[in-house]
Amino acid sequence: MPDAKRPFVERTVKVDGQDVSCRFFPPEPDGVSFHCRFEIGWTEGPRCKSAGGVDEVQALLLAMQLAYTDLLSGRENHGREVLWLDSRSLGLPIAKAIRDWDPENGF
């Protein structure tokens, strides 16, 4: 079983030309459900959040959606340039409610 204190997957994006890591930690049991913690290493300091799901897969997917929402919010609400592989689409699962923030996302 992966160590819940260490990230097990990571995506690096460019925010205003600087590398910013988005790290996901292994989902952990939380009563009858699971939660998945993630950290975005914003240039002004890292921020951690978590998402819950009925199983480990749902918790991870929802954490990825929430991280994507935070990254896109930086672009849409704060005027930041957020890119992955020189593309505006960051290649993560996106919530339907904000799909218009990244219409090119094929995920």
Side-chain angles (χ1 to χ4, degrees):
M1 178 174 260
D3 181 357
K5 293 180 169 80
R6 302 187 73 176
F8 77 114
V9 291
E10 181 174 341
R11 164 122 336 143
T12 300
V13 298
K14 293 272 188 197
V15 176
D16 297 331
Q18 295 184 35
D19 286 346
V20 169
S21 333
C22 185
R23 297 179 176 103
F24 296 90
F25 296 80
E28 296 182 89
D30 187 13
V32 296
S33 59
F34 289 82
H35 76 272
C36 182
R37 194 167 52 91
F38 69 92
E39 174 186 277
I40 299 176
W42 294 103
T43 53
E44 63 272 11
R47 279 187 255 156
C48 295
K49 292 184 179 179
S50 68
V54 297
D55 60 18
E56 294 166 306
V57 172
Q58 186 181 41
L60 175 59
L61 286 172
L62 292 174
M64 288 181 167
Q65 282 187 350
L66 185 55
Y68 203 174
T69 301
D70 285 357
L71 290 164
L72 290 178
S73 177
R75 177 190 301 156
E76 296 297 317
N77 298 324
H78 304 289
R80 296 179 124 169
E81 181 183 55
V82 182
L83 303 171
W84 175 61
L85 301 177
D86 296 324
S87 171
R88 288 178 50 88
S89 184
L90 306 183
L92 292 169
I94 189 168
K96 289 179 185 177
I98 62 163
R99 188 160 294 274
D100 61 325
W101 284 5
D102 186 5
E104 296 175 17
N105 187 324
F107 201 98

